[in-house]
Amino acid sequence: MNRLSGEEWQGGHYLSVPLSSHTHTNAHLQRHTRTHTHTHTHTFTLSRVVPSVAALMTWLHSAAFTRRLARSIAYLFPSGLFDNKAKPLMKHPDEVFPKQRAVQWGADGRPFHFLFYTGKQSYYSLMHDTFTKALAVEKHQDRLRGKGLFTQDAKQISLVGSRWLLKEELEELLVETISDHDYARFIQLMERLLSLPYCSAEEDFVQRYRRQLEIQSSKQQVQPLQYDQHGVAYSTGDGRRKTATGTVLLRDSGSGSISINGTNYVHYFPVLQDREQLMFPLHFMGVLGRFDMQCSVSGGGHSSQAGALRLAISRAMLSFLSEGQVETMRQAGLLTPDPRIKERKKPGQEGARRKFTWKKR
Amino acid sequence: MALHRLSFRLRQTVAQVRPLHGSGCGQQQEAVGMELETRPETLSIFRTQENDPACQSEQHLGQYYTVPPSHFHTVFPHGLPPRYQQQVKTFNEGCVMVRQPALELISHLKRADYSKPTMRYLLYGVKGSGKTMSLCHTVHYCSTQGWLVLHIPDAHLWVKNCKELLPSSYHASRFDQPIQASNWLRNFRTTNEHFLSKIKLRQRYVWTKRESTEEGRPLGELVDMGVSRVKSSSDVVGAVLKELRLQAGGTEGGFRLAVAVDGVNGLWGRTTLKKEDKSPVAPEELTLVHNLRKMINNDWCGGAVIATLSQTGSLYAPSSAYLPQELLGEEGFDSMDPFVPVPVSLYSEKEFESCYLYYLDRHWLQHPHSRTEEGKKELIFLSNRNPSVLERLCAFL
């Protein structure tokens, strides 16, 4: 019997590569991350591992097995084994494996970077670069002052709508771990650079370390207003909260009457808290007596029905409001669906969190 | 100096806002002027000085009138809703709003012909819309006009939560409720003190082998006996009702009788009481209910029956029911038919405004936001102008 050799066994699988950059023994002979191919056919011969499976081997090559195999493949891979869409999806190796540094020293063992022996060479070199730039800007300012051309209102870097890199993102950029203290010092230094009036010369450098913030409100879809036969504007909205669903038909130029499932809202929600929930979106925008509402709601309990209706009313109101008001509503949290649901009960516990009574003996 | 000018200005506004009413109540005007001189702050849109229900008319709609404190304990020993009683105690005055249903009822009572069989009036409306308060307003009117008022505060109290049920001595299959009957007799005595000595019995009543009440004795004696002898109090109630029925329309020494029943739908529903063998008691089997039903029948004349439907204390009725057919049931509707239905609605805008100003005036609404327009809109929304809901809402503001 032939034993599988190590190389054959490894063919086609992801190699286990040591991640630490300080392994000296074999690391200097290996490069990091080799590109992996997407082959999923590998030679796999059972008979080499388990000696006495000749009978199994015969069956594996028989007609019955082939038919069964064909049926299984047709069931599991309806588009066939070799279709493009049936290929197993794998992430790019860059996403799977974190970036590692290439070798830091030359053949003579001497490190390339002058700050190698600090341990955090990229971080300290970045700090040095930033400070050098700050000094250059100050020198430029002094020169201007000397010439008498110094003005306070030079063009400033616009920082609106962007944020500093997070610590994790900075670590990713530098390909080395930094501590919270280091990160804080970095941000401090950048702020100091930004405090200089003539820092716009280094705008590109600064923007490299900032990320744009997404404008949340542009994601809100506002339905256009609809008009019924009398010319009265109306709009609908629906909302959900914790298994209760509600829909609302909001009509303009009304008297503030609300009917829920055909009954008056004072009778449907005898609890004050539920009526306050209904009132919140209207009161917030100051349109209390303006709309007439017809609501229908089902599922859940009274509190979740009130929450569902509140969301539905907020969404229906969007069509009547301007952009700025939509943004204020979003910031108030009226348009966010409440994601909380009942937590699952776990085995070995009495409830989701409650454990059984602990008996000492 | 300034005060004098202020009262002068106020007097002018008084003349503009409220024109002179009829001659019978003309002297009120002078009294008003006098009051204004002494206390200029009594002028307000939501109050009226017209404290006599007989003189109130449409121009007083939405305004509060004060029930004189002397009347309070005599006319309403047991009739007012409990929350309103607490409010009276807090505010140190009893103010009732003049509303459309009560005025309608009073106008009917003024114009009715009392030689014909009794008219029955039924107040109905959603929960908390003010039916009991309208009834009390009408009862106040009746008592100021000198009627004899038979006010049953809540008929539901007689068909549920009764600890003692005695088999009746008068009728074998019926049951007595001594505690309820004696309580009611006590309150009846407080309300109608001046009638008790005037009305004489027309029949001899035998209670036990040794006790009997002779013909010609004053009614007061009968009532006292009922209060002291608790065991026969239910039968005493029956006797009182019968006597009053017979004598109400009488030409000599005739008085008008007002039967005011709150929660009349309790007389025809089911009861929660059980006999000793755990079988349910039907309302007819209770002496009090039986006698009251006879009272509500329109086979007597010289008075009026004013009744209110109530879902709040009712048994086995869905909470959304408020119409007469739903709450009275078949049997009740047939017994009450024909009646004059008087719907009681929620507060109108003017009435709501009035109530809001009253609470502000009494410093009941402490929260600074409640004085703003925004706060008022919030109150309107949260209560939907329902009187009882508004009252509960304002209770903690």
Side-chain angles (χ1 to χ4, degrees):
Chain A
M1 85 195 171
N2 306 322
R3 289 221 170 260
L4 265 178
S5 59
E7 287 141 26
E8 278 171 333
W9 199 203
Q10 282 173 23
H13 281 269
Y14 297 120
L15 272 178
S16 55
V17 177
L19 293 180
S20 150
S21 55
H22 288 300
T23 46
H24 301 288
T25 44
N26 297 319
H28 71 278
L29 293 173
Q30 286 185 22
R31 290 279 128 187
H32 65 95
T33 50
R34 91 172 57 162
T35 47
H36 301 276
T37 55
H38 282 280
T39 53
H40 42 75
T41 52
H42 51 271
T43 48
F44 184 77
T45 44
L46 263 175
S47 54
R48 290 195 199 178
V49 177
V50 182
S52 57
V53 81
L56 181 63
M57 292 301 295
T58 7
W59 187 68
L60 279 177
H61 291 295
S62 70
F65 174 71
T66 324
R67 274 201 300 274
R68 179 177 260 180
L69 182 64
R71 278 214 312 270
S72 312
I73 291 175
Y75 176 72
L76 289 168
F77 302 100
S79 34
L81 271 179
F82 301 101
D83 194 6
N84 258 335
K85 288 187 206 165
K87 279 190 192 161
L89 287 171
M90 293 185 204
K91 289 189 191 165
H92 194 269
D94 277 344
E95 289 169 42
V96 179
F97 293 96
K99 273 204 274 188
Q100 303 151 57
R101 267 204 284 216
V103 158
Q104 310 290 319
W105 48 90
D108 55 350
R110 199 161 164 268
F112 297 129
H113 203 284
F114 73 103
L115 289 172
F116 175 79
Y117 287 109
T118 58
K120 298 182 258 192
Q121 61 181 45
S122 324
Y123 169 73
Y124 283 113
S125 76
L126 172 64
M127 295 292 271
H128 272 293
D129 288 337
T130 318
F131 192 62
T132 321
K133 291 196 194 299
L135 285 176
V137 168
E138 278 177 7
K139 200 167 160 192
H140 176 64
Q141 278 174 188
D142 289 336
R143 255 188 275 126
L144 285 181
R145 265 199 211 98
K147 288 190 207 157
L149 295 170
F150 182 82
T151 43
Q152 277 294 340
D153 48 326
K155 181 171 160 269
Q156 295 293 320
I157 304 179
S158 158
L159 298 172
V160 173
S162 60
R163 58 163 175 87
W164 284 118
L165 229 49
L166 294 173
K167 179 167 166 274
E168 287 76 24
E169 289 169 351
L170 188 61
E171 281 183 353
E172 212 182 336
L173 196 67
L174 299 175
V175 196
E176 67 183 12
T177 44
I178 51 177
S179 73
D180 289 332
H181 181 72
D182 295 336
Y183 176 70
R185 291 303 287 247
F186 169 66
I187 299 292
Q188 217 175 4
L189 187 57
M190 292 298 249
E191 292 288 338
R192 190 179 151 186
L193 172 62
L194 286 176
S195 69
L196 303 169
Y198 278 84
C199 59
S200 50
E202 306 301 339
E203 185 167 349
D204 298 328
F205 175 74
V206 171
Q207 291 292 1
R208 236 189 289 157
Y209 297 98
R210 286 189 78 90
R211 292 276 176 272
Q212 290 295 324
L213 291 167
E214 295 167 356
I215 309 168
Q216 285 285 336
S217 62
S218 55
K219 288 190 194 160
Q220 211 57 248
Q221 286 162 344
V222 178
Q223 309 261 329
L225 267 184
Q226 294 155 314
Y227 292 88
D228 69 354
Q229 67 233 54
H230 299 290
V232 175
Y234 72 92
S235 73
T236 51
D238 46 81
R240 252 195 287 209
R241 164 107 212 267
K242 215 199 201 187
T243 71
T245 48
T247 49
V248 159
L249 182 83
L250 213 63
R251 258 199 222 102
D252 203 352
S253 60
S255 56
S257 70
I258 305 179
S259 73
I260 305 181
N261 285 355
T263 52
N264 199 316
Y265 67 109
V266 175
H267 289 124
Y268 194 81
F269 286 133
V271 180
L272 182 67
Q273 183 189 328
D274 300 336
R275 272 176 277 142
E276 278 181 346
Q277 289 286 300
L278 286 188
M279 189 178 76
F280 181 25
L282 305 172
H283 175 249
F284 188 71
M285 304 315 301
V287 289
L288 265 179
R290 186 172 143 194
F291 294 111
D292 269 344
M293 282 189 260
Q294 274 171 306
C295 324
S296 61
V297 68
S298 64
H302 65 95
S303 210
S304 45
Q305 282 185 346
L309 278 181
R310 180 183 114 175
L311 185 58
I313 292 170
S314 319
R315 284 195 184 146
M317 264 171 69
L318 289 180
S319 335
F320 290 95
L321 301 175
S322 66
E323 281 284 331
Q325 286 173 315
V326 166
E327 180 60 27
T328 39
M329 275 191 75
R330 186 195 68 82
Q331 284 182 357
L334 280 166
L335 301 173
T336 330
D338 200 332
R340 300 178 285 178
I341 51 168
K342 196 164 167 177
E343 203 174 308
R344 185 211 139 163
K345 178 201 174 308
K346 284 103 192 172
Q349 291 176 5
E350 204 175 301
R353 299 283 172 103
R354 159 115 178 116
K355 322 280 183 280
F356 290 121
T357 318
W358 180 71
K359 296 259 173 57
K360 198 162 180 181
R361 49 186 69 84
Chain B
M1 264 310 219
L3 200 61
H4 170 71
R5 264 189 270 132
L6 178 67
S7 62
F8 184 66
R9 259 194 290 133
L10 286 172
R11 220 178 309 176
Q12 277 185 331
T13 11
V14 164
Q16 281 158 19
V17 163
R18 297 193 293 111
L20 290 171
H21 18 253
S23 54
C25 323
Q27 62 224 43
Q28 296 275 341
Q29 185 73 358
E30 283 168 67
V32 162
M34 289 289 290
E35 272 194 88
L36 278 178
E37 291 247 24
T38 47
R39 289 185 296 154
E41 65 268 13
T42 48
L43 176 69
S44 33
I45 321 170
F46 60 90
R47 275 195 208 267
T48 170
Q49 306 298 328
E50 191 57 74
N51 286 343
D52 185 12
C55 298
Q56 284 160 358
S57 61
E58 271 87 33
Q59 65 192 80
H60 299 115
L61 269 181
Q63 294 182 328
Y64 278 87
Y65 82 93
T66 325
V67 176
S70 50
H71 284 187
F72 230 84
H73 296 289
T74 45
V75 179
F76 299 124
H78 54 174
L80 296 169
R83 278 197 83 95
Y84 182 72
Q85 280 173 356
Q86 284 173 338
Q87 187 183 300
V88 165
K89 213 158 104 176
T90 317
F91 292 167
N92 239 358
E93 62 171 8
C95 279
V96 179
M97 195 196 272
V98 175
R99 290 186 77 193
Q100 176 56 34
L103 278 183
E104 200 181 312
L105 257 184
I106 292 175
S107 66
H108 280 307
L109 289 174
K110 281 183 193 169
R111 290 186 308 227
D113 185 358
Y114 291 104
S115 53
K116 301 241 181 70
T118 41
M119 287 290 288
R120 283 151 333 163
Y121 307 94
L122 190 63
L123 288 160
Y124 69 97
V126 291
K127 222 195 298 195
S129 53
K131 304 181 283 285
T132 311
M133 287 309 293
S134 301
L135 185 74
C136 292
H137 188 174
T138 322
V139 159
H140 186 217
Y141 163 76
C142 295
S143 68
T144 48
Q145 296 292 303
W147 292 32
L148 202 160
V149 171
L150 219 70
H151 189 43
I152 289 107
D154 196 358
H156 292 298
L157 293 174
W158 290 356
V159 297
K160 58 178 177 174
N161 297 343
C162 180
K163 298 281 186 309
E164 283 184 17
L165 259 190
L166 299 174
S168 166
S169 47
Y170 182 70
H171 203 275
S173 62
R174 286 203 219 128
F175 292 94
D176 271 357
Q177 285 155 303
I179 313 171
Q180 274 91 342
S182 57
N183 276 340
W184 184 80
L185 277 174
R186 211 172 296 130
N187 290 326
F188 172 73
R189 187 170 57 185
T190 331
T191 322
N192 302 302
E193 288 279 6
H194 49 281
F195 278 107
L196 294 178
S197 42
K198 279 195 240 162
I199 302 173
K200 304 279 184 251
L201 298 179
R202 286 200 190 153
Q203 202 191 320
R204 185 169 175 263
Y205 294 100
V206 180
W207 307 116
T208 55
K209 274 188 233 161
R210 274 178 243 154
E211 287 167 15
S212 64
T213 319
E214 299 301 325
E215 200 179 314
R217 305 295 302 163
L219 192 66
E221 206 181 287
L222 190 61
V223 173
D224 289 329
M225 213 214 77
V227 171
S228 50
R229 292 280 150 69
V230 179
K231 266 206 170 150
S232 46
S233 50
S234 316
D235 294 323
V236 167
V237 169
V240 163
L241 292 180
K242 188 165 153 195
E243 282 296 318
L244 291 175
R245 216 167 42 235
L246 289 173
Q247 298 192 21
T251 38
E252 58 339 292
F255 56 90
R256 301 241 183 98
L257 180 64
V259 181
V261 188
D262 203 337
V264 77
N265 49 322
L267 298 176
W268 288 285
R270 288 151 65 183
T271 66
T272 46
L273 306 171
K274 289 203 179 32
K275 297 180 226 179
E276 271 137 13
D277 54 351
K278 305 282 173 80
S279 60
V281 175
E284 302 79 57
E285 293 175 17
L286 294 167
T287 331
L288 288 173
V289 174
H290 180 83
N291 291 319
L292 195 56
R293 279 199 202 175
K294 281 198 266 180
M295 208 62 191
I296 295 183
N297 276 336
N298 56 352
D299 50 5
W300 52 283
C301 50
V305 175
I306 313 148
T308 325
L309 290 178
S310 168
Q311 196 280 326
T312 323
S314 71
L315 302 160
Y316 308 104
S319 60
S320 52
Y322 71 97
L323 294 169
Q325 290 103 305
E326 295 163 351
L327 282 176
L328 282 174
E330 289 247 7
E331 203 193 324
F333 199 82
D334 293 332
S335 323
M336 285 293 286
D337 209 20
F339 59 89
V340 176
V342 182
V344 181
S345 59
L346 304 175
Y347 277 159
S348 67
E349 290 204 15
K350 186 175 164 197
E351 288 171 343
F352 178 85
E353 182 76 36
S354 182
C355 185
Y356 173 72
L357 288 171
Y358 176 62
Y359 284 143
L360 276 181
D361 173 66
R362 294 277 98 200
H363 300 295
W364 194 229
L365 294 172
Q366 295 271 323
H367 201 278
H369 188 61
S370 55
R371 289 169 203 274
T372 61
E373 272 301 310
E374 286 290 323
K376 204 164 107 180
K377 280 197 203 166
E378 280 184 51
L379 285 174
I380 296 180
F381 186 95
L382 285 175
S383 62
N384 199 23
R385 297 212 193 90
N386 187 315
S388 72
V389 175
L390 178 66
E391 197 264 319
R392 267 160 227 265
L393 192 58
C394 298
F396 52 81
L397 284 177

